């Protein structure tokens, strides 16, 4: 029996980047490659924030942080992380992959995104995502 003090912290998932509920009824289940994210920037509290733009890694089929300068498939923006995903365990270890959900059709409040999407990423998303 463990009678020691256990401390847990929780993160509030902010979805103020969504312009409406449109598209939230059909998110896709995905697996994230956490090596494409930076701890202090993308998950400072152990959770990758919702609203992060994603690209699909060609070799593994997993998803990572969209990066127009990448050459592994992530140079094409395909959607946004719908819900925050815990990637650091209670013992402090970072998971190599994590399951999440992605929106591919939605309205986005561009100024509220946790990471900006460049012009190339917006072109990749086409009419499926409307930036407001």
């Amino acid at each position: 029996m463990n009678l020691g003090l256990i401390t847990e912290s929780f993160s509030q998932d902010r979805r103020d980047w969504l312009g409406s509920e449109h598209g939230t009824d059909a998110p896709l289940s995905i697996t994230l490659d956490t090596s494409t994210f930076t701890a202090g920037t993308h998950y400072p509290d152990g959770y990758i924030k919702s609203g992060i733009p994603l690209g699909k890694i060609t070799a593994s089929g997993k998803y990572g942080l969209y990066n127009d300068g990448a050459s592994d498939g992530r140079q094409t923006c395909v959607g946004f992380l719908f819900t925050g995903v815990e990637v650091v365990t209670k013992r402090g270890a970072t998971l190599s992959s994590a399951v999440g959900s992605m929106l591919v059709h939605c309205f986005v409040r561009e100024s509220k995104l946790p990471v900006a999407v460049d012009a190339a990423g917006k072109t990749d998303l086409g009419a499926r995502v409307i930036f407001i």
Side-chain angles (χ1 to χ4, degrees):
M1 178 187 322
N2 181 359
L3 298 176
L5 180 64
I6 297 174
T7 304
E8 286 190 56
S9 61
F10 297 91
S11 175
Q12 178 68 30
D13 192 21
R14 294 183 53 191
R15 292 196 190 135
D16 56 351
W17 57 273
L18 282 170
S20 75
E21 292 182 21
H22 182 76
T24 61
D25 61 334
L28 300 176
S29 180
I30 60 168
T31 301
L32 297 172
D33 179 342
T34 59
S35 69
T36 67
F37 300 91
T38 305
T41 304
H42 304 116
Y43 56 96
D45 60 356
Y47 291 81
I48 297 176
K49 306 290 184 203
S50 69
I52 295 279
L54 301 172
K56 186 173 184 177
I57 301 168
T58 308
S60 67
K62 294 180 181 179
Y63 292 80
L65 179 66
Y66 161 72
N67 179 348
D68 190 45
S71 60
D72 60 359
R74 293 180 300 123
Q75 68 273 17
T76 303
C77 190
V78 296
F80 294 91
L81 189 63
F82 180 44
T83 56
V85 176
E86 184 176 22
V87 295
V88 177
T89 67
K90 303 297 183 225
R91 299 185 189 268
T94 301
L95 302 171
S96 61
S97 61
V99 174
S101 58
M102 179 177 65
L103 290 181
V104 296
H105 183 73
C106 57
F107 289 90
V108 171
R109 287 189 178 106
E110 188 172 1
S111 65
K112 300 285 188 175
L113 287 172
V115 176
V117 178
D118 61 12
K122 291 176 186 176
T123 300
D124 295 339
L125 293 164
R128 295 180 295 119
V129 175
I130 298 177
F131 291 87
I132 54 175

